[in-house]
Amino acid sequence: MANKPEKFIDENGLRLDGRAVDEIRPMTIEIGVLSRADGSCYLEWGKNKILAAVYGPRELHPRRMQKPDEAIVRYRYNMAAFSVEDRARPGPSRRSIEISKVSRDAFAPIIMTKYYPSAVIDIFAEVLQADAGTRTAAINAASIALADAGIPMKGLISACAVGKVDGQLVLDLSKDEDNYGNADLPIAMTQDGEISLLQMDGNLTKEEFKKALEMASEGCRQILEIQKEALKRKFASHEEVVESLAEVADEIIEDVQKEIELIDEDFEVSELEDEDVIEITIAKTDTSEPVDKAQEEDFTEFTEDESSNVDGPEGYEADKAGERHEQ
Ligand code: CDP
């Protein structure tokens, strides 16, 4: 582990990584990265790398665990063994069980579980590389994966931490700030500003706590914009494809309608002229094996004499006319 830095904030008010005290680390989001998951997201936040996957809603087994009036939500936060400097011991730990529980609860206000009685929605958050703030990064990724899975939600959840170093509050702690700072306050928020996760490690005065909440809320608002942008990029491009396909389909329908009008006007079977028949015959010989003379004659005879047997309104009308004539 790196030694404790002498100062976390320089004389210009900048932190060790050059950020202002109220600045979050750069975040990038990729959606739909796993083909077997119903929804997925790969998120990088500073040096954190998180993969989130959502499966469901699907029937919950064993059945005794089902809730008859709503879906249950399961959340598993896991740190890959290679995600930290000292290898993380594989399997659940007290820390990962606690983070999984509070993270699942963070989604309680938004997931519309009543739509899926007896079902389960599974959320997996895999930390591939950890660099402070992994629980909040995982929640941000899970929120997008849920949206990608099409789970009905009242909005997104955004999460961010505030800490205290050198006696000052700082937004979105870096690794050193997290390890050696005086406080760490991760929060998660709905789009409407409702806090759905709040934890605190360390000490803050009442005033600092209030200020920290404001800073974290502002951080969540910024993250919400990044999340929305990522979703727009994914689903707007999808909409564009659908729109252009719809345009092509409209053009095809228009062309077909014109063709039908032409056929109605020019090729009414009951009104076929000899010339039309010859044209059709030529087209037929052009595109297939040479037609022998007998076949050609059959075809001409058929079109001239047996037009009343043609399926469709013209043939039907001709049949009717024939019947009336016989009577
Ligand atoms: O990651 P988060 O801030 O949500 O949780 P934390 O328990 O405050 O951990 C802070 C950081 O310590 C993590 O992001 C990791 O970088 C590191 N850590 C570690 O190196 N080994 C662990 N077993 C747990 C955490």
Side-chain angles (χ1 to χ4, degrees), residues 77 79 84 95 99 130-136 175 178-179 184:
Y77 163 99
M79 263 185 160
V84 289
R95 177 178 173 274
I99 293 177
D131 198 51
T134 54
R135 78 193 65 199
T136 47
K175 184 82 188 305
D178 191 315
N179 284 348
D184 178 8

Side-chain angles (χ1 to χ4, degrees), residues 11 15 25 30 32 64 68 110 126 169 189 220 237 323:
E11 49 287 353
R15 294 147 77 178
R25 290 171 286 182
E30 246 183 273
R64 66 185 153 75
I110 60 150
E126 295 290 320
L169 293 175
M189 257 176 64
C220 288
S237 58
E323 276 169 27

Side-chain angles (χ1 to χ4, degrees), residues 57-313:
R58 56 188 176 181
E59 197 178 347
L60 174 60
H61 292 285
R63 289 192 166 191
R64 66 185 153 75
M65 286 174 70
Q66 291 180 355
K67 282 194 180 174
D69 56 344
E70 64 175 341
I72 71 159
V73 177
R74 296 190 292 206
Y75 188 110
R76 195 188 78 159
Y77 163 99
N78 183 54
M79 263 185 160
F82 50 80
S83 64
V84 289
E85 268 172 53
D86 309 321
R87 174 178 177 275
R89 201 163 63 90
S93 61
R94 280 181 62 143
R95 177 178 173 274
S96 69
I97 291 169
E98 175 206 306
I99 293 177
S100 298
K101 189 204 172 298
V102 295
S103 304
R104 184 199 61 209
D105 294 350
F107 286 95
I110 60 150
I111 301 179
M112 297 160 89
T113 50
K114 298 274 179 208
Y115 282 14
Y116 302 103
S118 310
V120 62
I121 298 165
D122 279 308
I123 308 168
F124 296 91
E126 295 290 320
V127 180
L128 307 177
Q129 189 169 290
D131 198 51
T134 54
R135 78 193 65 199
T136 47
I139 289 171
N140 292 325
S143 187
I144 296 292
L146 281 164
D148 185 37
I151 305 291
M153 295 192 288
K154 293 177 192 156
L156 293 169
I157 292 285
S158 313
C160 190
V162 169
K164 186 176 157 190
V165 287
D166 291 349
Q168 277 201 56
L169 293 175
V170 287
L171 183 62
D172 180 24
L173 299 173
S174 66
K175 184 82 188 305
D176 283 338
E177 290 167 344
D178 191 315
N179 284 348
Y180 301 110
N182 314 112
D184 178 8
L185 179 103
I187 75 160
M189 257 176 64
T190 67
Q191 282 182 219
D192 303 328
E194 183 187 336
I195 292 175
S196 59
L197 175 149
L198 193 156
Q199 296 184 285
M200 192 163 107
D201 188 11
N203 297 311
L204 293 176
T205 65
K206 205 171 160 187
E207 280 315 304
E208 283 172 338
F209 180 75
K210 270 193 199 166
K211 177 90 195 330
L213 272 190
E214 276 168 29
M215 283 174 77
S217 302
E218 180 48 37
C220 288
R221 269 190 284 275
Q222 287 178 29
I223 290 160
L224 176 63
E225 287 313 309
I226 298 170
Q227 289 171 308
K228 279 190 190 166
E229 272 311 307
L231 284 167
K232 270 190 210 156
R233 264 199 317 277
K234 165 98 195 277
F235 292 105
S237 58
H238 177 71
E239 264 170 34
E240 275 162 24
V241 171
V242 172
E243 262 172 37
S244 63
L245 282 177
E247 271 171 31
V248 172
D250 281 345
E251 279 169 25
I252 292 172
I253 289 168
E254 233 172 74
D255 286 350
V256 170
Q257 272 168 347
K258 276 184 199 157
E259 291 285 334
I260 290 170
E261 278 165 24
L262 276 178
I263 290 169
D264 280 351
E265 279 171 21
D266 300 343
F267 295 105
E268 283 217 10
V269 179
S270 54
E271 294 170 15
L272 276 180
E273 301 290 338
D274 281 352
E275 287 164 29
D276 296 332
V277 175
I278 290 161
E279 263 180 46
I280 293 167
T281 312
I282 290 164
K284 198 178 164 81
T285 49
D286 277 349
T287 53
S288 60
E289 294 288 319
V291 181
D292 71 26
K293 195 76 190 151
Q295 266 183 325
E296 208 171 293
E297 275 163 13
D298 282 353
F299 181 66
T300 316
E301 264 172 36
F302 165 78
T303 48
E304 276 179 344
D305 304 337
E306 298 181 30
S307 57
S308 64
N309 287 335
V310 174
D311 285 342

